[in-house]
């Protein structure tokens, strides 16, 4: 039996002026959804930035009827309700200031496993499909959960490759559980559950897949993982919004570059150009930056280079060896540790990058390749 706190939380979130942020302001003041429901209408003056208009809908009997129906639906269909204020939201998502107050979950999410969100266009090309396939092949020995949005194209490919490679996958929906959009992915959604994954949504069961819901969905996709990979997207594509949310949450974003003439690479190229994503140059580098270990030996680099002709100078070799021994070392830490003048270190690092020996990523940190 679901406790009354879930009942009042669902009713409270249904109120017209109570979004996720106001929901948490109320909870922090009154301690619980149940207490908020009982007291907010009379004691709203305790709340900074919330007036009578905001709390006017609290206490509406129609919202209690809605909550009762919602809880019965969830119990009947084995849907778990996760409340942020009870610390039930996935840890990284809970850190986001605008994360959902309530999540509805069908299936299992292993919160202990690292997660990686992978998104892209519905109009995926062979280039994008091959990248997703190669990524899952190369990470076969790593344990993680993939996250995507169950759309056609790249999302569908991510979920299917996850299942094929026996990786749990989470599909974040832009609607409630009475629906499945797109309907073509119904069998895929069933397989996700059968193979130990989950369907996740912030929307009540009767909420339809309206256009504005997809942007809201994208913030959950971005917030639940430490890293987001954008495979292919056009200018202004939905995946760009996911990358924007990830940047706002201070998460890593990686984008697959492509030809400037390819429509569905232009969004990725734009993200890279504006320093909103790190360009994926090799799968090996990407896997290391994601913190995954032991990429498969057959992994091929997108832009291979030959090491045989590279001869390093003394300074280059000193810095290269130091970075190799201290992966993800920052420039500031390097300056303190290496007996080379600080103004000389950065030019040498740039030389090493051009030689394909060092890779830089956000925060002015470096790894040896």
């Amino acid at each position: 039996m679901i406790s009354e706190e879930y009942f009042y939380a669902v009713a409270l979130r249904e109120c017209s002026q109570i979004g996720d942020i106001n929901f948490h302001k109320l909870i922090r003041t009154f301690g619980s959804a149940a207490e908020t429901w009982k007291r907010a209408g009379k004691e709203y003056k305790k709340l900074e930035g919330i007036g009578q208009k905001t709390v006017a809908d609290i206490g509406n009997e129609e919202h209690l009827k809605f909550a009762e129906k919602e809880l019965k639906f969830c119990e009947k269909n084995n849907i778990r309700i996760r409340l942020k204020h009870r610390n039930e939201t996935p840890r990284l998502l809970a850190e986001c200031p605008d994360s959902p107050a309530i999540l509805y979950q069908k299936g299992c999410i292993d919160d202990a496993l690292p997660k990686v969100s992978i998104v892209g266009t519905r109009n995926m090309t062979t280039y994008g499909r091959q990248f997703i396939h190669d990524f899952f092949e190369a990470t076969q020995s790593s344990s993680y959960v993939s996250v995507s949005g169950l759309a056609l194209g790249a999302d569908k490919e991510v979920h299917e490759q996850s299942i094929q490679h026996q990786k749990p996958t989470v599909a974040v929906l832009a609607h409630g559980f009475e629906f499945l959009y797109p309907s073509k992915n119904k069998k895929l959604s069933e397989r996700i559950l059968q193979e130990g994954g989950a369907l996740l949504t912030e929307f009540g069961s009767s909420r339809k897949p309206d256009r504005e819901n997809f942007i809201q969905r994208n913030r959950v996709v971005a917030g639940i993982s430490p890293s987001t990979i954008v495979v292919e997207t056009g200018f202004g594509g939905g995946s760009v919004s996911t990358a924007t949310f990830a940047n706002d949450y201070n998460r890593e974003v990686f984008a697959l570059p492509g030809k400037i003439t390819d429509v569905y690479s232009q969004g990725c190229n734009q993200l890279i150009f504006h320093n909103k994503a790190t360009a994926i140059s090799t799968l090996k580098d990407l896997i290391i930056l994601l913190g995954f270990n032991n990429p498969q030996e057959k992994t091929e680099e997108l832009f291979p280079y030959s090491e045989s002709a590279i001869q390093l100078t003394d300074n280059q070799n000193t810095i290269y060896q130091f970075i190799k021994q201290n992966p993800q070392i920052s420039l500031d830490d390097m300056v303190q540790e290496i007996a080379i003048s600080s103004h000389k270190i950065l030019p040498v690092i740039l030389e090493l990058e051009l030689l394909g020996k060092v890779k830089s990523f956000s925060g002015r940190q470096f790894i040896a390749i």
Side-chain angles (χ1 to χ4, degrees), residues 210-230:
D210 297 324
R211 184 182 181 89
E212 63 269 17
N213 296 356
F214 289 88
I215 297 296
Q216 282 188 247
R217 183 273 308 274
N218 291 348
R219 87 188 194 291
V220 175
V221 174
I224 202 170
S225 302
S227 303
T228 292
I229 299 171
V230 184

Side-chain angles (χ1 to χ4, degrees), residues 215-264:
I215 297 296
Q216 282 188 247
R217 183 273 308 274
N218 291 348
R219 87 188 194 291
V220 175
V221 174
I224 202 170
S225 302
S227 303
T228 292
I229 299 171
V230 184
V231 179
E232 287 183 303
T233 188
F235 284 125
S239 299
V240 174
S241 72
T242 308
T244 300
F245 282 121
N247 276 289
D248 290 343
Y249 299 147
N250 199 30
R251 307 292 165 77
E252 291 285 353
V253 180
F254 301 94
L256 181 67
K259 295 178 182 177
I260 61 173
T261 53
D262 288 351
V263 173
Y264 296 108

Side-chain angles (χ1 to χ4, degrees), residues 24 82-89 94 96-102:
H24 289 294
R82 302 180 71 162
L83 301 182
K84 181 178 176 180
H85 70 277
R86 299 191 85 172
N87 299 318
E88 295 168 351
T89 301
C96 305
D98 60 348
S99 60
I102 302 173

Side-chain angles (χ1 to χ4, degrees), residues 37-219:
W37 190 264
K38 296 168 187 174
R39 297 166 52 193
K42 297 177 181 178
E43 303 177 36
Y44 66 88
K45 290 183 180 178
K46 292 181 178 180
L47 295 154
E48 185 179 348
I50 291 184
Q52 187 174 11
K53 184 179 178 181
T54 303
V55 302
D57 205 23
I58 298 176
N60 188 330
E61 291 291 322
E62 291 301 312
H63 300 325
L64 295 178
K65 292 177 183 177
F66 172 87
E68 184 177 7
K69 180 182 177 182
E70 195 68 23
L71 266 61
K72 285 180 179 177
F73 179 87
C74 289
E75 286 187 301
K76 180 181 178 181
N77 293 281
N78 297 314
I79 295 165
R80 178 184 173 189
I81 301 175
R82 302 180 71 162
L83 301 182
K84 181 178 176 180
H85 70 277
R86 299 191 85 172
N87 299 318
E88 295 168 351
T89 301
R91 181 182 60 82
L92 281 179
L93 182 59
E95 293 176 0
C96 305
D98 60 348
S99 60
I102 302 173
L103 286 172
Y104 300 92
Q105 175 184 319
K106 193 168 180 62
C108 302
I109 300 176
D110 188 341
D111 289 336
L113 281 179
K115 297 169 185 64
V116 58
S117 296
I118 310 173
V119 297
T121 178
R122 289 169 174 78
N123 301 295
M124 183 176 54
T125 69
T126 303
Y127 175 56
R129 182 176 289 105
Q130 187 65 50
F131 170 81
I132 293 170
H133 176 270
D134 290 347
F135 175 82
F136 280 96
E137 282 286 306
T139 57
Q140 184 67 64
S141 62
S142 301
S143 297
Y144 63 92
V145 178
S146 72
V147 181
S148 200
L150 201 67
L152 298 175
D155 293 11
K156 182 174 183 283
E157 189 72 20
V158 168
H159 296 307
E160 288 181 340
Q161 288 295 323
S162 296
I163 292 168
Q164 185 174 325
H165 290 86
Q166 298 181 310
K167 305 292 182 191
T169 186
V170 174
V172 185
L173 310 179
H175 52 78
F177 277 115
E178 284 185 11
F179 308 93
L180 197 288
Y181 178 86
S183 57
K184 290 180 180 179
N185 281 346
K186 188 175 189 302
K187 287 186 178 179
L188 175 58
S189 70
E190 292 168 353
R191 284 206 65 201
I192 287 171
L193 297 175
Q194 290 167 2
E195 299 298 327
L199 307 179
L200 191 68
T201 183
E202 65 182 292
F203 300 106
S205 61
S206 59
R207 188 73 172 269
K208 294 180 180 180
D210 297 324
R211 184 182 181 89
E212 63 269 17
N213 296 356
F214 289 88
I215 297 296
Q216 282 188 247
R217 183 273 308 274
N218 291 348
R219 87 188 194 291

